[in-house]
Amino acid sequence: MKISYNWLSKYLDHDQSPEKLGEILTNTGLEVESITSFCPLKGGLEGLVVGLVTEKEKHPNADKLSVCQVDVAGSSTLQIVCGAPNVAVGQKVVVALVDTTIYPIDGEAFTIKKSKIRGELSEGMLCAEDEIGLGYGHDGILILDEKLKPGTALAEVFEIKEDFIFEIGLTPNRSDAMSHLGVARDIAAALNATGGESYNLKEIPKLSIATGSKSPIKISIEDTEACPRYSGIVLKNLKVDSSPAWLQNELISIGIRPINNVVDVTNYVLKELGQALHAFDLRAIEGQEIQVKKLKEGTKFLSLDGIERTLSGNDLMICNKSEAMCMAGVFGGLKSGVKNDTTSIFLESAYFNSTTIRKTSTYHSLRTDAAQRYEKGADPDSCILALERACFLLQEIAGAKVEGDLVDSYPNKINNAEILLRYSRLEQVAGAGIELSIIKQILKDLDFKILQENKESLLLSAPLYRADVFREIDVIEEILRIYGFNNIRIPQQVKSTLSFQSTFDKHALKEKLAHILNGFGFNEIMTNSITQSNYYEEETVLVRLQNSMTAELDSLRASLIPEALQVIEFNINRKKSNLKLFEFGNIYNEKFEQKEQLALFYTGKVVETNWASKGEKVGIFHLKGIVEALLSNLGIGTYDLSIINDREIYLDKKNLELAKIWELDAEDMKSATIEQSVFCARLNWDVIAGLVQKRKQRFKELSKFPEVSRDLAVILDESISFEAIQQKLKANASKQLKSIDLFDIFRSEEKIGRNKKSYALNFKLQDSSKTLTENEIEKAINKIIKSLEQDFDAVIRK
């Protein structure tokens, strides 16, 4: 957001430099990202003065040149050779003095030198408007007002002043600071908080207008939720023309292109007060009635840019008796806009619901200044002030006259939030006491009203333009940001009770796991926790945002999957289809609980296709192996494993879900268009971290004795899984059994029967105190075989 230094000075007398003001703004929470110098004209008309032509003679050596004597209030007149046909004695003209650099509208800048032209001395230049960047006219030199005094700087005549523009990185909750007056309010409050000189905002010139029913225009609001307040005034006898130089310059300084005096005034008031206005040509209001309502879905509307738009059923429209004239708070209509021959207007000032405006703005891709202002929450109390301010300006620069009363429809008045501020809570949060007089001054400067007061607290009424302030902690934040966090003294001593209890570093555990995953070839992603509700099934209860950035991003995510799928889609569309991704992130539920999850995503091929491999496609068991390796690295070696139709795998421990592994289906992938299979592992990070924290590390000496390896081939029913065998044998076999590995699977109806399979298993045996004898090895293997035969009805293949 752009804020003008000169513009701010209209509302507040101060002696702060732009750099100091930028520091103050940043300290109050309005972070100044840059300060740039600005001048509406390149060079700022420096070196150009008003001159009086006192003599004019024909050049002796050129038919089309004149030799003029020009008074610029110096010690003597200047002789200047001029080729303009319209130069005449007695004229007030623009003089570029020697060594002045001028910047034409078209062409390169050049510097005026003292020289001879066709043998006659020329000590300057008489300028046309295009030669100094004031316009495009080149029929002759620019003739100035005869009342001007010779020697007057041209920058003073055209009110050209150097300005400094603050680029402020505004946070979404600070809609009150989307105007120069709002920023000036914070500056005044911050300066007053330092003590000493008192700073007060100047009163803004306005035209006081009676509010009543004597207006040529009748207003009716059908949807009072979408439009709680609608006000307006009729202005007649105005002349649509170019705005004066001062108004154009101030708009240009903050990046707004001047259009005409009526439109420029509405833009000016928006940037000055933060209240959007809209001007309707009075001739377009059929039936002398304005209706604020929503039209049927599919209704056509011709907008100001000449595009015919199809309305949704949620678009709030400003209508006359027969048709729509404007998309409320977003964009005007072509038929009802101000034209060059407009002489009478109806000027609108309204308070629209932020969600309604955001939906319309996003649906039609119209990100106008007015829409952005309403989206963040406007001030219902500023509607009348903005109208009175605009009427004052239009009376001054367009000759407008008010017709009838100011009409104001405000059926359900919005109440100010009442907040109890406890001094003890403020001191607890701040870490230091703040003088009561300073607290009250800050609250007064920020337009908080004190309703009740006692020794312990203040009962406050918050201004309506601060819709984000409705809790005690919000008021404390306001006080502290104005008082200055830098002014909170840090105590000389820090007292603490030292604890010798070892702490669990959850972040370090997360870093460890991230490194392991990186070693497995996974890349970490970070996605937005604000998501679109249409990614989820209708029955999913989401945490909705009250003040979302856009109409689509309206909820906190209940899963890490939708945004991760968009990352996958983005990469696949760029020919990167073999992906291993993981993300640590929070998810949120309807109970306003925040839970941390780890999600893994695996898609494409296990290895890239090459001469030695055709590229095996990723399957669910590839991801299962990675999850088990992660848990093993964390010391979680035992858990319950459930495999459902080779499509879903659950890992549980003590009735708590550790992980779920599955192939994403069409319902899961609503947020992206992906044709290849995507496998996901959802790990409950809070549960896993809790188990790791409780785990006691035990150390034992590595065995000095050799391990023994034996292989068995067993025939089993197709339904029996390796995991079931593994768990059973580890529970029942001797302590000498260290590991079981599956290294081959064989199926053949002819050789081993229908619905049968053969597992080739490897067993490693080891004793930590001695070398195993053949008898001990045979005894251990026989115990394993017995368990396989009894528990799984297995047949040992010879």
Side-chain angles (χ1 to χ4, degrees):
M1 184 187 69
K2 297 181 185 297
I3 292 293
S4 159
Y5 176 82
N6 290 346
W7 206 340
L8 286 174
S9 300
K10 287 186 172 186
Y11 316 117
L12 184 67
D13 286 328
H14 64 89
D15 56 357
Q16 309 296 321
S17 66
E19 291 75 18
K20 183 61 179 177
L21 214 57
E23 182 181 332
I24 292 171
L25 287 171
T26 299
N27 288 339
T28 62
L30 302 178
E31 184 180 358
V32 175
E33 297 175 344
S34 66
I35 304 175
T36 55
S37 177
F38 171 81
C39 186
L41 290 175
K42 195 171 183 181
L45 302 182
E46 186 176 353
L48 301 174
V49 298
V50 176
L52 170 63
V53 180
T54 57
E55 296 181 24
K56 173 190 172 184
E57 295 180 356
K58 186 177 178 301
H59 194 293
N61 302 318
D63 293 338
K64 294 184 179 181
L65 298 179
S66 301
V67 180
C68 303
Q69 300 298 319
V70 184
D71 178 13
V72 293
S75 57
S76 60
T77 59
L78 300 178
Q79 178 171 300
I80 298 176
V81 176
C82 178
N86 65 330
V87 65
V89 174
Q91 290 176 337
K92 298 290 177 64
V93 295
V94 178
V95 180
L97 302 175
V98 172
D99 293 330
T100 295
T101 300
I102 62 176
Y103 299 86
I105 286 285
D106 296 316
E108 299 292 329
F110 60 94
T111 303
I112 305 300
K113 298 294 183 183
K114 187 176 182 178
S115 61
K116 285 189 176 183
I117 301 176
R118 295 289 185 94
E120 295 295 324
L121 179 66
S122 183
E123 300 174 291
M125 176 179 172
L126 304 186
C127 303
E129 65 176 29
D130 69 323
E131 292 170 330
I132 56 175
L134 283 175
Y136 290 89
H138 196 70
D139 296 336
I141 59 172
L142 180 61
I143 308 302
L144 302 174
D145 189 338
E146 60 182 16
K147 295 178 182 178
L148 295 173
K149 293 182 179 179
T152 303
L154 202 65
E156 294 181 22
V157 175
F158 289 96
E159 300 180 12
I160 303 298
K161 296 179 182 178
E162 184 183 19
D163 199 357
F164 295 91
I165 306 302
F166 300 100
E167 187 70 46
I168 296 178
L170 202 62
T171 53
N173 66 307
R174 291 302 310 277
S175 59
D176 64 296
M178 292 182 71
S179 66
H180 283 76
L181 184 63
V183 173
R185 184 191 298 115
D186 272 14
I187 294 171
L191 292 173
N192 286 333
T194 62
E197 187 178 349
S198 179
Y199 295 87
N200 296 302
L201 295 179
K202 297 178 184 178
E203 187 173 346
I204 297 175
K206 61 180 183 177
L207 190 65
S208 296
I209 309 169
T211 301
S213 59
K214 296 179 181 179
S215 171
I217 300 298
K218 178 186 176 183
I219 293 174
S220 65
I221 306 174
E222 292 188 11
D223 191 337
T224 56
E225 183 179 350
C227 178
R229 188 173 193 178
Y230 191 93
S231 53
I233 187 75
V234 173
L235 296 170
K236 292 190 173 183
N237 299 327
L238 59 79
K239 181 182 179 182
V240 177
D241 202 350
S242 298
S243 296
W246 69 266
L247 179 53
Q248 292 194 41
N249 292 339
E250 291 196 358
L251 290 176
I252 292 170
S253 71
I254 57 173
I256 297 177
R257 179 177 63 88
I259 298 173
N260 60 53
N261 50 5
V262 177
V263 176
D264 291 350
V265 163
T266 62
N267 286 331
Y268 183 84
V269 172
L270 172 62
K271 296 300 181 180
E272 180 182 48
L273 303 178
Q275 174 62 38
L277 303 174
H278 188 75
F280 297 93
D281 190 321
L282 197 61
R283 296 172 297 185
I285 305 178
E286 296 180 16
Q288 301 294 289
E289 181 179 354
I290 283 183
Q291 301 173 353
V292 185
K293 59 185 180 181
K294 293 177 180 177
L295 300 179
K296 291 182 180 179
E297 185 175 357
T299 302
K300 302 296 183 182
F301 173 68
L302 187 61
S303 56
L304 192 59
D305 53 5
I307 297 174
E308 185 178 68
R309 301 180 186 275
T310 303
L311 302 181
S312 74
N314 294 319
D315 295 332
L316 186 67
M317 305 300 293
I318 310 301
C319 309
N320 59 28
K321 272 279 190 180
S322 60
E323 62 181 351
M325 298 189 296
C326 173
M327 301 169 79
V330 179
F331 208 41
L334 187 63
K335 295 180 182 179
S336 63
V338 173
K339 303 170 182 61
N340 291 333
D341 63 345
T342 298
T343 58
S344 299
I345 63 170
F346 177 78
L347 192 60
E348 166 200 279
S349 180
Y351 173 70
F352 299 117
N353 179 276
S354 59
T355 303
T356 301
I357 301 303
R358 187 181 304 113
K359 286 180 178 179
T360 296
S361 172
T362 306
Y363 181 81
H364 295 284
S365 299
L366 291 170
R367 308 297 296 157
T368 60
D369 283 345
Q372 292 182 48
R373 183 67 184 88
Y374 281 120
E375 284 178 12
K376 290 179 170 59
D379 177 16
D381 280 350
S382 68
C383 292
I384 304 302
L385 172 62
L387 279 178
E388 292 180 334
R389 174 60 169 157
C391 288
F392 174 84
L393 293 170
L394 289 171
Q395 188 180 63
E396 291 286 318
I397 67 174
K401 291 185 179 179
V402 173
E403 180 79 9
D405 292 338
L406 186 154
V407 61
D408 181 28
S409 180
Y410 196 6
N412 302 310
K413 187 172 172 40
I414 300 171
N415 296 320
N416 300 68
E418 293 186 4
I419 307 164
L420 183 68
L421 172 66
R422 295 166 294 168
Y423 302 137
S424 58
R425 179 59 174 158
L426 172 58
E427 184 172 348
Q428 181 186 26
V429 174
I434 303 174
E435 291 181 24
L436 182 57
S437 60
I438 296 177
I439 294 172
K440 288 183 176 180
Q441 182 64 49
I442 291 173
L443 292 171
K444 176 187 173 185
D445 290 336
L446 296 181
D447 293 339
F448 285 84
K449 293 180 180 178
I450 299 176
L451 303 178
Q452 293 179 15
E453 178 180 0
N454 57 44
K455 293 181 180 180
E456 297 178 350
S457 63
L458 295 172
L459 181 62
L460 304 171
S461 172
L464 287 179
Y465 60 75
R466 290 308 304 271
D468 62 314
V469 177
F470 53 89
R471 302 172 300 170
E472 182 182 40
I473 194 66
D474 299 328
V475 177
I476 292 172
E477 181 185 357
E478 291 299 292
I479 294 170
L480 292 181
R481 73 176 183 84
I482 296 298
Y483 181 74
F485 292 102
N486 294 337
N487 295 325
I488 303 294
R489 292 185 179 181
I490 299 174
Q492 297 299 312
Q493 290 182 325
V494 178
K495 298 179 180 179
S496 175
T497 302
L498 297 178
S499 172
F500 295 96
Q501 182 179 357
S502 61
T503 59
F504 175 66
D505 192 342
K506 195 173 182 180
H507 179 73
L509 180 65
K510 189 183 294 185
E511 286 293 308
K512 174 185 176 181
L513 208 55
H515 283 298
I516 295 171
L517 284 168
N518 192 247
F520 286 152
F522 279 76
N523 290 306
E524 185 172 9
I525 59 174
M526 296 178 68
T527 61
N528 195 352
S529 59
I530 302 175
T531 187
Q532 299 184 32
S533 57
N534 60 9
Y535 290 162
Y536 298 86
E537 297 179 3
E538 291 184 5
E539 58 268 21
T540 304
V541 182
L542 301 171
V543 178
R544 302 280 182 165
L545 300 181
Q546 290 184 343
N547 189 23
S548 57
M549 298 286 285
T550 67
E552 283 80 15
L553 297 175
D554 58 355
S555 306
L556 292 177
R557 65 187 176 190
S559 168
L560 299 179
I561 294 173
E563 279 67 36
L565 288 174
Q566 292 180 9
V567 175
I568 293 172
E569 180 184 28
F570 181 87
N571 281 273
I572 290 175
N573 291 341
R574 285 154 183 79
K575 309 302 180 184
K576 298 291 182 181
S577 57
N578 300 332
L579 298 169
K580 295 180 180 180
L581 305 174
F582 74 94
E583 179 176 13
F584 286 100
N586 292 321
I587 60 170
Y588 311 85
N589 61 30
E590 70 277 7
K591 297 179 181 178
F592 298 99
E593 294 174 333
Q594 174 179 302
K595 295 183 179 180
E596 194 167 14
Q597 278 190 353
L598 167 63
L600 278 60
F601 301 91
Y602 202 177
T603 184
K605 296 179 179 179
V606 179
V607 294
E608 297 284 352
T609 303
N610 55 49
W611 66 272
S613 170
K614 293 182 179 180
E616 180 186 0
K617 287 186 177 181
V618 171
I620 192 170
F621 292 101
H622 292 111
L623 192 52
K624 169 183 169 291
I626 292 168
V627 172
E628 289 183 323
L630 285 177
L631 295 176
S632 176
N633 270 281
L634 297 177
I636 304 174
T638 58
Y639 40 79
D640 297 326
L641 187 70
S642 303
I643 301 176
I644 303 173
N645 298 326
D646 288 350
R647 295 186 63 83
E648 291 184 6
I649 300 175
Y650 293 89
L651 284 72
D652 304 298
K653 189 177 182 71
K654 297 179 181 178
N655 296 321
L656 294 174
E657 182 183 293
L658 296 178
K660 176 187 176 182
I661 309 165
W662 77 105
E663 181 180 355
L664 299 181
D665 59 20
E667 192 63 37
D668 293 323
M669 296 201 287
K670 287 173 66 175
S671 65
T673 304
I674 302 173
E675 295 182 358
Q676 64 191 52
S677 296
V678 178
F679 295 90
C680 172
R682 182 187 68 203
L683 284 76
N684 192 331
W685 180 244
D686 289 331
V687 173
I688 291 172
L691 291 173
V692 173
Q693 185 177 5
K694 293 176 182 178
R695 179 175 60 91
K696 293 181 179 180
Q697 289 187 341
R698 294 183 176 87
F699 298 91
K700 63 180 180 180
E701 185 181 1
L702 293 174
S703 177
K704 300 176 182 177
F705 302 98
E707 66 177 18
V708 178
S709 178
R710 291 289 186 270
D711 294 337
L712 287 177
V714 295
I715 299 173
L716 304 155
D717 287 340
E718 188 67 52
S719 60
I720 298 172
S721 67
F722 171 68
E723 283 77 16
I725 295 173
Q726 204 173 29
Q727 291 177 10
K728 195 61 144 178
L729 291 181
K730 283 185 177 180
N732 296 340
S734 67
K735 294 181 180 179
Q736 297 164 337
L737 178 62
K738 298 302 178 184
S739 67
I740 310 167
D741 292 309
L742 171 66
F743 62 88
D744 189 32
I745 301 175
F746 174 73
R747 291 180 176 88
S748 173
E749 287 190 21
E750 295 178 0
K751 295 183 179 180
I752 61 176
R754 190 176 181 183
N755 294 325
K756 297 288 184 179
K757 61 184 175 183
S758 173
Y759 275 175
L761 303 173
N762 173 260
F763 302 92
K764 287 187 171 56
L765 306 171
Q766 188 180 43
D767 194 305
S768 58
S769 60
K770 61 180 180 179
T771 301
L772 292 172
T773 65
E774 283 297 324
N775 287 335
E776 291 171 328
I777 295 170
E778 186 176 355
K779 185 178 179 181
I781 294 297
N782 287 335
K783 190 175 182 180
I784 291 171
I785 292 172
K786 184 177 180 181
S787 178
L788 289 170
E789 290 174 339
Q790 290 181 351
D791 297 325
F792 301 102
D793 198 21
V795 176
I796 307 301
R797 294 180 69 189
K798 303 298 184 182

